[in-house]
Amino acid sequence: MRILKLYLRSTCIQCYLCLLLNSHFLTEAGIHVFILGCISAGLPKTEANWQYVISDLKRIEDLIQSIHMDATLYTESDANPSCKITAMKCFLLELRVILHESRSSDISETVENIIILANSSLSSTESETESGCKECEELEEKNINEFLKSFIHIVQMFINPS
């Protein structure tokens, strides 16, 4: 939640700056600056979001070490870059299993944060269609540690598309 709050705070700061600019430039150009500033404040910052997702996944890895969780989760360990959106949606669905099975409020908060950040980043790719990708239930079930490592690998595909 801490990262999401920082993300929202930076968006608010951009809006306040736009208002400040608009109050000093009550001309047509000032209005254009205000509108463009507001639009840019609402645009997804996908690169930053994915970095936060990775740091939250690493946090979950650390938190999992302190509790005993033997969940097996559908895991895409060999995703084709042309199926990264489908794979990400499967990972996000499986995160809900961790949310359900975890009794740790730290893990629950971190999982919820990942889901929010990843979904906001995926919203910019909703129009893309992928075909020939495996359904979630077709994936191999793996332990939670392997799941998290594979999840990080998929997130890195979004950061460094090739």
Side-chain angles (χ1 to χ4, degrees), residues 51-69:
Q51 290 295 341
Y52 294 142
V53 169
I54 286 178
S55 67
D56 279 349
L57 287 168
K58 290 180 179 180
R59 183 167 191 253
I60 290 174
E61 279 180 327
D62 294 339
L63 292 169
I64 292 284
Q65 300 304 320
S66 64
I67 63 170
H68 177 68
M69 184 181 282

Side-chain angles (χ1 to χ4, degrees), residues 44-104:
K45 289 135 185 84
T46 57
E47 299 83 16
N49 284 357
W50 291 123
Q51 290 295 341
Y52 294 142
V53 169
I54 286 178
S55 67
D56 279 349
L57 287 168
K58 290 180 179 180
R59 183 167 191 253
I60 290 174
E61 279 180 327
D62 294 339
L63 292 169
I64 292 284
Q65 300 304 320
S66 64
I67 63 170
H68 177 68
M69 184 181 282
D70 60 351
T72 57
L73 306 159
Y74 292 118
T75 303
E76 176 61 86
S77 54
D78 191 26
N80 186 322
S82 64
C83 290
K84 68 183 182 183
I85 296 170
T86 303
M88 178 57 69
K89 288 178 180 178
C90 289
F91 277 108
L92 293 175
L93 285 173
E94 289 300 286
L95 268 183
R96 295 188 186 281
V97 173
I98 295 173
L99 190 61
H100 178 72
E101 291 192 10
S102 169
R103 305 249 189 297
S104 164

